[in-house]
Amino acid sequence: MTQNKNREQLLWWITMVNFMMADLTQYLDTHPYDEAAMDSFRHYANLYNKAMKEYAALYGPLTVATAAPDKSWCWAQSKNPWERGYL
């Protein structure tokens, strides 16, 4: 779903999927046995993880969790997305 997206589109996708996960998290806090909601959360968590890995591979990691441990410690040397470092 995120193949061939440019950097801004990929950041938008990550934000949107992350919002869905946050929304489902709040719902699941009050409805912990709703299997359909849990399935949806797993679906969006999978999409989020894939998008974060894709972003890290193409543009560098957004978080320490997606920084490649086999590379030098340079994940925070570029501008952050909110600083418009990607334009």
Side-chain angles (χ1 to χ4, degrees), residues 51-63:
M52 290 293 284
K53 286 178 184 176
E54 181 179 347
Y55 189 94
L58 293 171
Y59 308 111
L62 288 173
T63 65

Side-chain angles (χ1 to χ4, degrees), residues 7-22:
R7 191 174 195 163
E8 190 170 342
Q9 289 172 323
L10 190 51
L11 280 171
W12 177 83
W13 175 252
I14 289 169
T15 302
M16 184 176 68
V17 171
N18 192 24
F19 178 83
M20 287 300 299
M21 289 172 51

Side-chain angles (χ1 to χ4, degrees), residues 9-85:
Q9 289 172 323
L10 190 51
L11 280 171
W12 177 83
W13 175 252
I14 289 169
T15 302
M16 184 176 68
V17 171
N18 192 24
F19 178 83
M20 287 300 299
M21 289 172 51
D23 198 39
L24 284 164
T25 298
Q26 289 180 358
Y27 176 80
L28 285 165
D29 282 346
T30 58
H31 300 82
Y33 302 109
D34 186 334
E35 286 299 319
M38 195 63 221
D39 288 343
S40 291
F41 180 83
R42 286 186 196 109
H43 171 74
Y44 286 107
N46 186 37
L47 291 176
Y48 178 80
N49 289 330
K50 285 181 182 179
M52 290 293 284
K53 286 178 184 176
E54 181 179 347
Y55 189 94
L58 293 171
Y59 308 111
L62 288 173
T63 65
V64 173
T66 55
D70 58 337
K71 302 215 176 184
S72 64
W73 192 257
C74 61
W75 73 275
Q77 291 179 351
S78 63
K79 286 187 176 183
N80 295 307
W82 57 87
E83 296 174 307
R84 295 288 204 198

